[in-house]
Amino acid sequence: MRHISKLPDVGTTIFTVMGALAKKHHAINLAQGFPDFKMDENLIDLVTSAMQNGHNQYAPMQGDLGLREAIAKKFDLLYGTSYHPENEITITTGATQAIFSIISAFIKPNDEVIIFRPAYDCYEPTIALNGGKTVSVALESPNFKVDWNEVKSKINSRTKMMVINTPQNPIGTVFSEADMRQLQQLTIGTDIIILSDEVYEHMVFDGEKHQSACLFPDLKSRSFIVASFGKTFHNTGWKMGYCCAPQPLMSELRKVHQFNVFSVNHPMQKALAAYLQNENRYLELSAFYQQKRDLFLSLIKDSRFKFTPSKGTYFQLLDYSGITQENDVDFAKRLTVENKLTSIPISVFYDTKIESKMLRFCFAKKDETLKQAAEILNQI
Ligand SMILES: Cc1ncc(COP(=O)(O)O)c(C=O)c1O
């Protein structure tokens, strides 16, 4: 039987490749973005209670109302802005499903979507599956600043959507207030939808403030904010997330969501609704991860790797240009095989060939794991 692939250029992701290599060579795996420490037992207990209390059948399509109300309260507390729990918040199967459904709800063949590279890997295939065209704006090391004139030059009548990701995976940068104002200025008066991937909103360091798209009135009116409980509460395996948008946008999203998953894990929604009542559970996250970042960087400060401290996310880029001129994929593989430490090469997050001498390390790890990784890096 012959078939035509809808995604002919998509192969196995770098996360799978590096994860398998780490396993084969018994390497410390700082490649994929997940914690190696335990999540809060209280949240597990809340899920158990929810199951024992009978919340084992389909949840409402939009999500549990109590959870949507808790999310609305969080937006009010953090950003002084409101989303109506009834028709402006939807619970999703992780951020990934929200992204898939948002793009699918709006992108038609030949529509253009602007993304900033190096970009998280699910945006482009989803745009392609819907017949859209990805238009890339490359952010370049060392500071990965956005050239807003370049963005402007790429906007045209076919531009339907822009995807932003602040704090940004894999580079650990954040959009400043000035960046967000530039974005608002460029999109004002257009029909461009913003997909604002804010899954690392609670991991912003050095006293900086997370610049959510919802803080800027015109941006808010055209934005979906996408969030991930997995990132925030150390349980990426649960695949729980949500998105928020003004009602006219949200009602389109729900048309896709209801036929994509229909509804999301019910006991976990009940548990998260109760857990969110204590805001310290997310307010303390930036300090928690800043301590991990600082520990990791203090341990490798005398190594031959160079770095600019990550401003957000739980990723740190290390520049190895003072060590070898190998390309980043080869070097990442060699580090795994010979030194037993796995990372992710940055070049794979671009669509063009770039000369990267940077590797991404995840510091969402126990202190002892970070110490072991640092010992290896110090020997290279
Ligand atoms: C930028 C970004 N967006 C979305 C996701 C996916 O989040 P989830 O696991 O909730 O689907 C990730 C996960 O690594 C990510 O880094």
Side-chain angles (χ1 to χ4, degrees), residues 94-96 99 120 123 165 169 197 199-200 228 231 239-240:
T96 309
I99 293 166
Y120 182 59
Y123 309 142
N165 173 215
N169 175 13
D197 181 342
V199 299
Y200 299 104
S228 168
K231 300 287 178 193
K239 294 301 291 185
M240 297 291 293

Side-chain angles (χ1 to χ4, degrees), residues 15 32-33 92-99 119-123 165-170 197-200 226-231 235-237 239-242 313-315 360:
F15 304 105
Q32 210 177 349
T92 58
T93 308
T96 309
Q97 186 248 317
I99 293 166
Y120 182 59
D121 61 353
C122 81
Y123 309 142
N165 173 215
T166 181
Q168 185 159 345
N169 175 13
D197 181 342
E198 302 186 14
V199 299
Y200 299 104
V226 173
S228 168
F229 289 119
K231 300 287 178 193
N235 49 21
T236 58
K239 294 301 291 185
M240 297 291 293
Y242 60 92
T313 72
Y314 45 44
F315 300 114
R360 188 198 80 175

Side-chain angles (χ1 to χ4, degrees), residues 76-244:
D76 186 30
L77 176 82
L78 290 182
Y79 307 115
T81 193
S82 65
Y83 284 100
H84 200 291
E86 197 55 59
N87 49 30
E88 298 190 315
I89 300 172
T90 300
I91 312 301
T92 58
T93 308
T96 309
Q97 186 248 317
I99 293 166
F100 189 92
S101 296
I102 294 163
I103 292 173
S104 302
F106 294 97
I107 297 306
K108 296 190 295 301
N110 303 319
D111 283 343
E112 294 187 3
V113 182
I114 295 178
I115 71 170
F116 297 87
R117 290 187 186 272
Y120 182 59
D121 61 353
C122 81
Y123 309 142
E124 184 171 17
T126 310
I127 296 164
L129 270 179
N130 287 285
K133 182 178 164 215
T134 299
V135 175
S136 301
V137 173
L139 309 183
E140 283 166 25
S141 64
N143 60 17
F144 300 101
K145 282 267 166 246
V146 180
D147 175 349
W148 289 103
N149 283 327
E150 183 188 349
V151 180
K152 187 175 180 187
S153 74
K154 293 193 166 165
I155 293 177
N156 61 52
S157 57
R158 290 182 302 281
T159 311
K160 183 80 183 201
M161 187 179 281
M162 284 170 76
V163 181
I164 63 168
N165 173 215
T166 181
Q168 185 159 345
N169 175 13
I171 46 182
T173 54
V174 295
F175 274 16
S176 65
E177 184 181 342
D179 285 321
M180 298 304 278
R181 290 205 182 286
Q182 295 260 22
L183 177 65
Q184 179 164 257
Q185 199 52 42
L186 282 185
T187 50
I188 240 161
T190 70
D191 293 326
I192 296 172
I193 293 164
I194 308 284
L195 192 170
S196 187
D197 181 342
E198 302 186 14
V199 299
Y200 299 104
E201 76 181 299
H202 300 301
M203 301 170 209
V204 179
F205 311 134
D206 305 322
E208 290 227 16
K209 188 166 173 258
H210 172 57
Q211 299 295 335
S212 173
C214 72
L215 287 167
F216 303 84
D218 194 80
L219 279 185
K220 185 184 174 198
S221 73
R222 62 180 69 252
S223 291
F224 278 93
I225 313 268
V226 173
S228 168
F229 289 119
K231 300 287 178 193
T232 305
F233 295 136
H234 315 307
N235 49 21
T236 58
W238 285 18
K239 294 301 291 185
M240 297 291 293
Y242 60 92
C243 62
C244 306

